[in-house]
């Protein structure tokens, strides 16, 4: 009877796809992480510039920190368990006690950083909604919002650790068939009456507080943001018909809101299915082995891509981010070469050398700047 229940969820196609992808998962994950780690470091560097330190960017900065920490932990995990050894193999070298301790740390650590990231996404949606509902100006209001953002980030980091205490307690290492040289993770016996209370508590808390609830809040506030954007678009159309100018600041605010919506939609797409699968694994016997495990690598790579893709979103949708990044690149070039020689022909066909300091100019101003310098020297 139990075997027939398990066979209900078994899919040969899913198992075949999972088995084929498993051999490439480690290398794909390393590529994503080796891009995502420096890109998130760039995000942190840009967003922490003095003129970029808004409450919104403060939360984005700490989201980049949690995303980067997730990928840093994933690099040795993917290299050892997928690249150095076969994913299906069990050996004293692969499953040694030190490496299994690291696996235990990796599972708990990445669960915490994922929880931090998704709740920071909730905070972003709420902060953006409050800002658009009451766009108060002034240094005092700005300072209050920055303080609130810092408190929220601190509470999310600490609260995520507290929420996952049952997760830390439920994951344990056991020797494989009394073999002291090979260790594996203890079986949870999901979907059966043998599941331990601490495991049940852990998975319920994790699926509800780290997956379902933040996804619901993100969806609700995302819908509210869409409604506000719809109203703003209508107002802009009326201004356009009345031949009124639309300010650049209003345009940037709209684009920043769209950027946030893309970020939170990615969270819902990657995190909500995992929460559903965890709950189904908890109550349906055989679902964890037949469905959740084959989909595990796919969910991991989607989460890693979500952690690494924010750099592209910021570059595409935030003009302030692009300008600040361009200025930082120019400053870096200026530090590497403080002076350079430019040889230009004079009217009498002689060559004179002018020593110029490397000036910081934005890419779209570079050609105009060079033409002006050339005309000044020639004339």
């Amino acid at each position: 009877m139990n075997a027939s229940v398990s066979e209900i969820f078994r899919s040969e196609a899913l198992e075949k796809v999972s088995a084929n992808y498993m051999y490439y998962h480690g290398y794909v994950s390393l590529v994503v992480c080796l891009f995502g780690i420096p890109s998130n470091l760039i995000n942190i560097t840009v967003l922490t510039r003095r003129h970029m330190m808004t409450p919104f960017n403060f939360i984005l900065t700490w989201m980049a920190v949690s995303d980067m920490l997730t990928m840093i932990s994933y690099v040795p995990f993917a290299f050892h368990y997928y690249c150095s050894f076969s994913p299906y193999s069990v050996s004293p070298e692969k499953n040694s006690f030190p490496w299994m301790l690291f696996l235990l740390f990796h599972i708990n650590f990445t669960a915490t950083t994922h929880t931090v990231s998704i709740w920071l996404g909730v905070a972003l949606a709420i902060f953006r909604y409050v800002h658009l509902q009451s766009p108060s100006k002034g240094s005092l209001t700005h300072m209050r919002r920055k303080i609130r953002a810092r408190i929220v980030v601190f509470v999310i980091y600490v609260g995520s650790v507290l929420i996952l205490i049952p997760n830390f307690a439920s994951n344990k290492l056991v020797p494989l068939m009394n073999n002291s040289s090979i260790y594996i993770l203890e079986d949870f016996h999901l979907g059966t009456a043998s599941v331990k209370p601490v495991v049940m508590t852990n998975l319920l808390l994790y699926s509800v507080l780290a997956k379902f609830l933040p996804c619901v809040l993100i969806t609700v506030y995302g819908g509210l943001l869409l409604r506000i954007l719809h109203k703003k678009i209508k107002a802009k159309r009326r201004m356009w018909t009345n031949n009124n100018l639309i300010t650049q600041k209003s345009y940037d605010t709209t684009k920043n809101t769209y950027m946030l919506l893309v970020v939170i939609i990615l969270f819902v797409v990657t995190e909500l299915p995992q929460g559903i699968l965890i709950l189904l694994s908890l109550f349906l016997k055989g679902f964890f082995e037949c469905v959740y495990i084959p989909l595990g690598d796919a969910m991991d790579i989607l989460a890693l891509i979500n952690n690494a893709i924010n750099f592209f979103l910021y570059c595409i949708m935030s003009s302030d981010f692009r300008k600040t990044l361009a200025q930082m690149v120019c400053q870096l070039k200026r530090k590497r070469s403080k002076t350079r020689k430019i040889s230009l022909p004079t009217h009498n066909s002689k060559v004179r050398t002018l020593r110029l300091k490397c000036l910081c100019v934005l890419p779209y101003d570079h050609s105009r700047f060079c033409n002006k310098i050339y005309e000044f020297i020639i004339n």
Side-chain angles (χ1 to χ4, degrees), residues 108-128:
N108 294 327
F109 183 74
T110 53
T112 305
T113 53
H114 273 306
T115 305
V116 168
S117 292
I118 192 169
W119 276 107
L120 287 177
V122 175
L124 281 174
I126 295 175
F127 267 75
R128 197 64 181 173

Side-chain angles (χ1 to χ4, degrees), residues 294-328:
L295 290 175
D297 291 336
M299 290 186 291
D300 280 356
I301 195 63
L302 286 176
L304 290 174
I305 292 173
N306 185 30
N307 292 338
I309 204 173
N310 286 339
F311 174 77
F312 290 114
L313 295 178
Y314 301 159
C315 289
I316 294 171
M317 308 189 74
S318 175
S319 58
D320 290 338
F321 187 91
R322 291 195 301 269
K323 291 176 183 178
T324 304
L325 180 60
Q327 290 171 358
M328 290 175 59

Side-chain angles (χ1 to χ4, degrees), residues 207-333:
S207 58
V208 173
L209 296 182
K211 301 296 180 183
F212 278 107
L213 182 58
C215 286
V216 168
L217 291 175
I218 282 178
T219 304
V220 170
Y221 280 96
L224 293 174
L225 287 172
L226 279 175
R227 189 177 70 174
I228 293 176
L229 280 179
H230 184 66
K231 291 180 179 179
K232 285 183 173 290
I233 291 172
K234 281 187 175 180
K236 287 177 183 179
R237 287 175 180 172
R238 287 196 297 268
M239 292 175 65
W240 185 264
T241 55
N242 294 332
N243 295 325
N244 292 329
L245 294 177
I246 300 176
T247 63
Q248 180 66 28
K249 185 174 181 181
S250 175
Y251 178 73
D252 290 340
T253 300
T254 302
K255 290 198 71 174
N256 288 338
T257 306
Y258 276 123
M259 181 185 72
L260 170 61
L261 286 172
V262 174
V263 171
I264 62 180
I265 287 172
L266 289 174
F267 270 121
V268 174
V269 170
T270 56
E271 300 296 335
L272 185 58
Q274 188 175 2
I276 296 173
L277 292 176
I278 290 173
L279 279 183
L280 292 176
S281 300
L282 194 58
F283 297 106
L284 299 177
K285 180 175 176 56
F287 190 88
F288 181 75
E289 293 81 4
C290 299
V291 179
Y292 188 90
I293 290 181
L295 290 175
D297 291 336
M299 290 186 291
D300 280 356
I301 195 63
L302 286 176
L304 290 174
I305 292 173
N306 185 30
N307 292 338
I309 204 173
N310 286 339
F311 174 77
F312 290 114
L313 295 178
Y314 301 159
C315 289
I316 294 171
M317 308 189 74
S318 175
S319 58
D320 290 338
F321 187 91
R322 291 195 301 269
K323 291 176 183 178
T324 304
L325 180 60
Q327 290 171 358
M328 290 175 59
V329 172
C330 290
Q331 290 173 1
L332 183 62
K333 289 182 179 180

